[in-house]
Amino acid sequence: MTGTPTVRWVTDSPQQMFDDAAAILSSALDGDSDAVAGTFDAVVDRAGLAGAYDVAWCLAATMIGDPVPPGACALDFPGIEQAGYDARWVARFVSAYANADLDTARALFGAAVADGLLPECLLTLAGSTVATLRHRAA
């Protein structure tokens, strides 16, 4: 990719959310998973889980792109149950974004927190977003 990663405006959240999402994308583009995790940790320290949710929502928006494709996106896919928890979570979270299904997205986020797997899910979301951006650029 030759351009700077951009993050779409998806909520009325403060600029810090977009800066955090851009930092996460930059670190993920560099392959620096420790920096991705560190940025998410800093977000949680500063803004709590709500802040991490906002950044995750922003990454989902970046992955889907603009405009959002018409029609409903499936929350389940053939063979999805064989994928790891984090991959299933990302697929369902991004589908919830594409469907504007806030209740499902919040439930998925809460489940990942309760299962103790949110860090892995967020890292996979960042990686999936970067893979999508690279695919689009190719």
Side-chain angles (χ1 to χ4, degrees), residues 80-126:
I80 196 168
E81 290 307 319
Q82 285 71 43
Y85 183 103
D86 56 336
R88 289 191 314 269
W89 186 90
V90 168
R92 290 172 175 153
F93 188 81
V94 172
S95 294
Y97 171 81
N99 291 324
D101 186 349
L102 295 173
D103 291 336
T104 297
R106 288 184 188 120
L108 287 164
F109 200 87
V113 170
D115 293 340
L117 295 170
L118 183 62
E120 292 86 351
C121 293
L122 295 176
L123 190 60
T124 301
L125 175 61

Side-chain angles (χ1 to χ4, degrees), residues 14 55 75:
V55 172
L75 294 175

Side-chain angles (χ1 to χ4, degrees), residues 32-87:
D32 190 347
S33 59
D34 289 339
V36 170
T39 302
F40 271 118
D41 288 344
V43 169
V44 171
D45 288 346
R46 183 182 59 250
L49 288 174
Y53 174 88
D54 287 345
V55 172
W57 197 246
C58 196
L59 292 176
T62 301
M63 184 185 289
I64 292 295
D66 191 30
V68 173
C73 292
L75 294 175
D76 286 304
F77 309 92
I80 196 168
E81 290 307 319
Q82 285 71 43
Y85 183 103
D86 56 336

